[in-house]
């Protein structure tokens, strides 16, 4: 009897839940999966490739009315302004350094706070966010216009520009004919007290050592630091300004766009490409729990289309293959973002032991 009663009760419960489902009445199951349904809608929208994709994004973005962007590039403010002008979608932005942006995204997610839609950061930092399962795969028709290094297999971030590390020199302090042609040339006594470097370039340094051959590269920089000295400064833009003032006649690591931007304002600065030339993409990513996914994806597409020209006009190196730039014909070695994460501890220690702790 007890067994029959349990079977009857089980059958009744199943029928009751089915009736509730058909009538549209809410169930405990439906309530508990509300969050996963919202996440699925972001994924569905991000991977939708139908002919009406753009129309859907625009219509949805108009209803959302806004989006929030965390970013590291100061220049992204200009792109956001252009986006607002084109679509009348307001943008809220928060800007900080790459590590601070990554940490905020992670800490907010762990605290179940989901306010950010798009994050712009260096490739290793957004790859770290991908490992935290925070980013959404996006399929975009504009991916086909980009260099291969800008589109990883998982498509959870995409490169919008390329940060190329290069040297920069003060044209009033150093004659063109005296410029070094290789890193080995910097061992000459004439560079004593002339050199500077940005203090957080461990990824550049580690990847450069791998290209040179670790033993050979470390010996070269050890000799350079010991004999000629390398002053360490925080910030690529600051280091470029110190080159323009003549305080640092030759900087080893600025971004390619740094000297171009200050040169356009009349500063006596030129960039110098010493091989091997190292680079990494600067990227954008859509958050899995974006509160404004239509506006976020519309901005994503804008950055890969109209935004490419805007960034190129501001001296950045675009990832679009359709736009010419100074490095189109120049050999560039790209840092693997995953390797940069896995090797961070080793590369940081190498850089500190060889350069920053011996700064003069």
């Amino acid at each position: 009897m007890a067994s029959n009663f349990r079977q009857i009760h089980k059958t009744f419960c199943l029928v009751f839940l089915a009736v509730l489902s058909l009538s549209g009445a809410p169930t405990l199951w439906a309530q508990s999966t509300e969050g996963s349904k919202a996440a699925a809608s972001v994924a569905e929208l991000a991977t939708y490739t139908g002919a009406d994709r753009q129309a859907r994004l625009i219509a949805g973005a108009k209803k959302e009315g806004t989006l929030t962007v965390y970013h590291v590039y100061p220049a992204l403010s200009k792109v956001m302004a252009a986006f607002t002008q084109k679509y009348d979608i307001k943008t809220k932005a928060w800007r900080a350094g790459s590590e601070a942006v990554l940490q905020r995204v992670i800490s907010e997610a762990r605290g179940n706070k989901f306010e950010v839609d798009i994050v712009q950061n260096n490739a290793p930092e957004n790859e770290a966010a991908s490992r935290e399962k925070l980013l959404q795969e996006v399929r975009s028709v504009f991916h086909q216009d980009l260099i291969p290094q800008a589109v990883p297999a998982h498509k959870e971030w995409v490169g919008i520009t390329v940060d190329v590390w290069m040297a920069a020199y003060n044209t009033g302090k150093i004659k063109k004919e005296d410029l070094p042609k290789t890193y080995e040339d910097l061992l000459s006594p004439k560079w004593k007290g002339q050199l500077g470097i940005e203090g957080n370039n461990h990824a550049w340094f580690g990847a450069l050592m791998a290209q040179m051959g670790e033993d050979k590269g470390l010996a070269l920089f050890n000799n350079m630091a010991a004999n000629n000295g390398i002053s360490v400064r925080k910030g690529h833009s600051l280091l470029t300004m110190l080159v323009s003032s003549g305080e640092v006649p030759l900087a080893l690591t600025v971004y390619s766009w740094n000297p171009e931007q200050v040169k356009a304002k009349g500063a006596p600065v030129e960039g110098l490409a010493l091989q091997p030339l190292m680079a990494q993409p600067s990227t954008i990513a859509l958050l899995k729990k974006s509160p404004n996914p239509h506006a976020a994806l519309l901005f994503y597409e804008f950055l890969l289309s109209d935004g490419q020209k805007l960034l190129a006009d501001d001296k950045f190196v675009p990832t679009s293959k359709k736009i010419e730039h100074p490095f189109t014909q120049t050999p560039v070695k790209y840092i693997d973002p995953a390797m940069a994460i896995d090797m961070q501890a080793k590369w940081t220690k190498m850089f500190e032991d060889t350069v920053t702790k011996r700064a003069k």
Side-chain angles (χ1 to χ4, degrees):
M1 286 294 293
S3 175
N4 289 339
F5 176 79
R6 284 195 295 271
Q7 183 62 38
I8 292 170
H9 181 262
K10 180 178 179 182
T11 302
F12 173 78
C13 289
L14 291 171
V15 171
F16 180 68
L17 287 172
V19 171
L20 284 178
S21 176
L22 290 172
S23 67
T27 66
L28 290 176
W29 178 84
Q31 293 172 11
S32 69
T33 59
E34 184 178 356
S36 64
K37 285 184 177 180
S41 68
V42 175
E44 180 184 21
L45 188 63
T47 56
Y48 180 70
T49 56
D52 62 339
R53 173 184 169 88
Q54 185 75 353
R56 286 181 63 179
L57 293 183
I58 292 174
K62 293 291 185 184
K63 292 179 181 178
E64 292 164 353
T66 188
L67 80 152
T68 298
V69 179
Y70 293 171
H71 67 107
V72 300
Y73 265 8
L76 210 68
S77 298
K78 295 181 182 179
V79 182
M80 286 186 279
F83 172 77
T84 297
Q85 183 176 18
K86 182 171 183 176
Y87 293 109
D88 195 28
I89 306 297
K90 296 179 180 178
T91 59
K92 295 186 290 185
W94 179 77
R95 177 179 167 256
S98 56
E99 279 294 326
V101 169
L102 173 62
Q103 289 305 317
R104 179 166 178 171
V105 170
I106 292 174
S107 62
E108 286 185 350
R110 290 176 179 173
N112 290 315
K113 181 181 179 182
F114 304 106
E115 295 181 356
V116 62
D117 298 293
I118 290 284
V119 59
Q120 181 265 318
N121 211 336
N122 303 325
E125 280 76 11
N126 267 345
E127 182 64 25
S130 172
R131 291 186 178 187
E132 292 285 331
K133 310 298 183 185
L134 301 178
L135 307 183
Q136 171 60 50
E137 175 194 355
V138 177
R139 297 174 192 169
S140 170
V141 66
F142 294 109
H143 286 170
Q144 65 188 2
D145 298 332
L146 308 180
I147 60 174
Q149 295 85 355
V151 188
H154 57 58
K155 296 182 176 63
E156 292 184 2
W157 51 258
V158 65
I160 56 171
T161 61
V162 178
D163 286 334
V164 181
W165 282 283
M166 65 187 309
Y169 67 98
N170 183 293
T171 56
K173 295 279 187 177
I174 301 173
K175 295 178 180 179
K176 196 168 185 178
E177 56 268 26
D178 293 333
L179 288 171
K181 293 179 174 59
T182 66
Y183 281 103
E184 285 78 6
D185 290 344
L186 294 173
L187 295 176
S188 169
K190 71 179 181 181
W191 298 110
K192 188 176 182 67
Q194 305 291 301
L195 307 177
I197 199 167
E198 204 281 328
N200 193 36
N201 281 152
H202 58 272
W204 163 83
F205 187 75
L208 181 66
M209 295 302 98
Q211 285 293 318
M212 289 183 167
E214 192 170 300
D215 291 342
K216 178 183 175 181
L218 287 175
L220 189 153
F221 271 83
N222 271 309
N223 288 336
M224 193 189 307
N227 297 323
N228 291 335
I230 306 174
S231 65
V232 175
R233 311 302 171 103
K234 295 289 186 179
H236 299 90
S237 296
L238 172 62
L239 183 56
T240 306
M241 294 306 296
L242 294 175
V243 172
S244 67
S245 71
E247 183 174 334
V248 178
L250 177 63
L252 300 183
T253 53
V254 300
Y255 292 134
S256 64
W257 44 271
N258 290 136
E260 291 299 315
Q261 288 179 348
V262 298
K263 185 174 70 172
K265 298 176 182 178
V269 177
E270 284 286 353
L272 176 65
L274 293 175
Q275 292 289 348
L277 209 56
M278 310 305 301
Q280 70 180 7
S282 183
T283 68
I284 55 167
L286 171 70
L287 275 295
K288 275 187 177 179
K289 295 196 175 182
S290 160
N292 305 291
H294 294 84
L297 283 163
L298 192 62
F299 182 61
Y300 182 105
E301 306 275 60
F302 182 80
L303 269 166
L304 299 185
S305 52
D306 296 15
Q308 290 292 285
K309 180 65 166 58
L310 292 171
L311 289 165
D313 288 346
D314 213 14
K315 308 302 181 182
F316 290 89
V317 179
T319 53
S320 173
K321 293 179 290 189
K322 295 182 175 182
I323 301 176
E324 290 289 324
H325 55 77
F327 299 95
T328 303
Q329 303 299 326
T330 303
V332 173
K333 301 290 185 181
Y334 285 86
I335 299 174
D336 180 352
M339 181 179 289
I341 296 172
D342 297 337
M343 299 294 288
Q344 182 174 2
K346 178 181 177 179
W347 286 357
T348 298
K349 186 176 188 304
M350 278 173 39
F351 186 58
E352 289 178 350
D353 291 346
T354 308
V355 181
T356 59
K357 288 181 180 179
R358 305 170 65 187
K360 293 183 179 180

